[in-house]
């Protein structure tokens, strides 16, 4: 496990602006009930999800990521030409390569910025924030656009009722900028347990198992998940990691003004918040409207929370992601942005 924030840097990464974009096509539980053997009642009670947004044929994830990035830049009042780096957290970019961050950098005209993707599934945005913070704290970069974007609607097996009902598409973005060392991203924790790779994964389509005609005919493709095992793991490891992260900077769960967890499932969010003693009023959720948008869920939730006035300057915000790898990540932020 990697702990950051062990030394006092000259400057820290501050959230200066946020953005969010989703496709306009909304897929309801009722529509899913006509596609697979499920019901609105099962989906709602087990996950809290009512609707999710999905890309239409021909639409591209990089366009959502670019739109979210433009909003974040506009809210931060920073021009694309002032960016030193564009980071995209994604596992479902437009192409196998190059990185989607390169496509977004080109779309934005962020000519000075280097660009690369961070692949840590649903933990991706929190991993990317930790990466951006390290570059800012080292003095190597001042302004970094961090985007979380995914379109797992393109990668689920639409005949597998245990997974296809969970996911939605979207993008969220944040501009991180160098500022005072007394606030901003105070610390991050990044964790991985690679012995659980097969708990949630895309086993086909990579170099180990390239897609064959036979796989397509037999429906042997798409995301696979042992939901119950992932659930148990997350509820165990995430609260522990949040408490450790807070403790490192002299804080405790009672000091948290807003908890923004990866929006995988309302029950997981509730269980993690309960273990931390954080009540509903300090825990942001929007999984009901968007489903699990993987790396996009944390920045989308941050953008909505800020828009709704739920994050005030000086407030302590904790974000946490968890998912394939298995990976998990926590950022503790003393908020200064808008
Ligand atoms: O973001 C990446 C990380 N992923 C996660 O965080 C996901 C973590 N896991 C979960 O959120 C939950 O485990 C799920 C929502 C995926 C599943 O909920 P669950 O309460 O763990 O259900 P389950 O998998 O134990 O399945 C219970 C029953 C099974 O039937 P039997 O064996 O009890 O007869 C399933 O076959 O529900 C059945 N089932 C469904 N029934 C109706 C599974 N999916 C469906 C469905 N509709 N869509």
């Amino acid at each position: 496990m990697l702990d950051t924030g062990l030394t006092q840097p000259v400057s820290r990464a501050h959230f200066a602006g946020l953005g969010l974009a989703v496709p306009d096509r909304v897929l309801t539980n009722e529509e899913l009930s006509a596609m697979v053997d499920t019901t609105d009642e099962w989906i709602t009670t087990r996950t809290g999800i009512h609707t999710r947004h999905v890309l239409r044929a021909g639409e591209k994830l990089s366009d959502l990521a670019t739109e979210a990035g433009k909003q974040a830049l506009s809210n931060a009042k920073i021009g694309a030409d002032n960016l030193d780096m564009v980071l995209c957290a994604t596992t479902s970019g437009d192409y196998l390569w190059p990185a989607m961050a390169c496509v977004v950098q080109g779309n934005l005209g962020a000519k000075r910025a280097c660009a690369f993707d961070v692949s840590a599934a649903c933990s991706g945005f929190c991993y990317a924030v930790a990466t951006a913070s390290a570059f800012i704290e080292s003095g190597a970069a001042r302004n970094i656009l961090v985007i979380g974007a995914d379109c797992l609607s393109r990668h689920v097996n639409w005949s597998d009722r245990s997974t296809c009902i969970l996911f939605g598409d979207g993008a969220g973005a944040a501009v991180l900028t160098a500022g005072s060392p007394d606030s901003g991203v105070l610390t991050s924790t990044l964790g991985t347990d690679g012995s659980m790779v097969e708990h949630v994964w895309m086993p086909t389509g990579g170099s180990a198992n390239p897609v064959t005609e036979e796989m397509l005919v037999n429906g042997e493709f798409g995301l696979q998940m042992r939901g119950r095992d992932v659930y148990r793991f997350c509820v165990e490891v995430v609260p522990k990691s949040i408490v450790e992260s807070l403790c490192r900077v002299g804080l405790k769960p009672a000091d948290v003004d807003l908890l923004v967890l990866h929006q995988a499932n309302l029950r997981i969010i509730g269980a993690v918040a309960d273990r931390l003693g954080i009540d509903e009023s300090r825990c942001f959720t929007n999984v009901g409207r968007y489903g699990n948008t993987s790396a996009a869920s944390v920045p989308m939730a941050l953008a909505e929370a800020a828009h709704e006035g739920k994050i005030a300057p000086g407030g302590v915000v904790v974000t946490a992601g968890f998912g394939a790898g298995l990976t998990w990540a926590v950022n503790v932020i003393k908020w200064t942005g808008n």
Side-chain angles (χ1 to χ4, degrees), residues 85-89 99-102 105 114-118 131-132 135 145:
M85 185 182 288
V86 176
L87 286 184
C88 276
M100 192 170 74
C102 302
Q105 188 257 21
C114 65
F116 58 96
D117 285 357
V118 173
T131 306
F135 275 98
L145 178 62

Side-chain angles (χ1 to χ4, degrees), residues 38 42 46 122 161 225 227-228 262 264-265 267-268 292:
T38 191
W42 192 96
R46 299 284 178 137
C122 302
R161 69 175 182 172
M225 181 166 71
R228 239 181 251 184
H262 167 46
N265 179 328
R267 284 160 55 217
I268 298 185
N292 178 345

Side-chain angles (χ1 to χ4, degrees), residues 44-79:
T44 307
T45 52
R46 299 284 178 137
T47 71
I49 301 167
H50 300 281
T51 54
R52 67 289 288 145
H53 293 243
V54 292
L55 289 175
R56 295 176 195 276
E59 291 180 337
K60 292 201 301 282
L61 185 63
S62 58
D63 290 332
L64 290 184
T66 303
E67 171 55 28
K70 280 183 182 166
Q71 284 177 23
L73 285 164
S74 161
N75 288 331
K77 300 184 178 56
I78 285 177

Side-chain angles (χ1 to χ4, degrees), residues 69-304:
K70 280 183 182 166
Q71 284 177 23
L73 285 164
S74 161
N75 288 331
K77 300 184 178 56
I78 285 177
D81 48 351
N82 285 321
L83 288 174
D84 302 307
M85 185 182 288
V86 176
L87 286 184
C88 276
T90 187
T91 47
S92 52
D94 292 4
Y95 315 112
L96 271 182
W97 49 269
M100 192 170 74
C102 302
V103 180
V104 173
Q105 188 257 21
N107 289 349
L108 293 173
K111 292 204 172 88
R112 288 183 46 247
C114 65
F116 58 96
D117 285 357
V118 173
S119 174
C122 302
S123 311
F125 181 77
C126 298
Y127 262 75
V129 165
T131 306
S133 297
F135 275 98
I136 287 173
E137 289 178 13
S138 76
R142 281 198 67 77
N143 298 311
I144 300 182
L145 178 62
V146 183
I147 297 172
D150 266 312
C151 56
L152 294 188
S153 73
R154 294 274 208 260
H155 296 287
V156 291
N157 179 343
W158 283 101
S159 63
D160 175 7
R161 69 175 182 172
S162 68
T163 52
C164 75
I165 52 108
L166 298 171
F167 297 96
D169 304 337
V175 172
L176 297 191
T177 191
S180 148
D182 303 329
S183 47
V185 181
L186 301 179
T187 192
S188 300
T189 302
L190 309 180
T192 303
D193 188 337
S195 69
M196 299 190 201
V197 162
E198 296 180 12
H199 276 40
V200 44
W201 65 332
M202 274 284 296
T204 53
S207 55
N209 299 304
V211 175
T212 62
E213 201 178 331
E214 198 185 349
M215 277 178 198
L216 292 174
V217 169
N218 296 335
E220 294 164 351
F221 62 94
L223 181 158
Q224 293 177 14
M225 181 166 71
R226 298 177 194 156
R228 239 181 251 184
D229 294 335
V230 178
Y231 188 113
R232 269 197 293 267
F233 179 82
C234 296
V235 169
E236 191 60 36
V237 83
V238 173
K240 222 185 274 176
S241 194
I242 289 174
V243 171
E244 282 168 14
S245 308
L246 285 166
C247 182
R248 200 179 308 133
V249 290
L251 297 170
K252 49 193 182 315
D255 300 316
V256 175
D257 294 293
L258 195 70
L259 178 64
V260 179
L261 296 174
H262 167 46
Q263 305 286 302
N265 179 328
L266 203 54
R267 284 160 55 217
I268 298 185
I269 297 171
V272 171
D274 268 359
R275 287 191 178 206
L276 293 167
I278 291 179
D279 64 29
E280 261 179 36
S281 67
R282 292 191 288 141
C283 183
F284 189 81
T285 62
N286 61 9
V287 63
R289 280 177 288 125
Y290 298 122
N292 178 345
T293 55
S294 192
S297 87
V298 168
M300 282 171 58
L302 278 176
E304 287 205 329

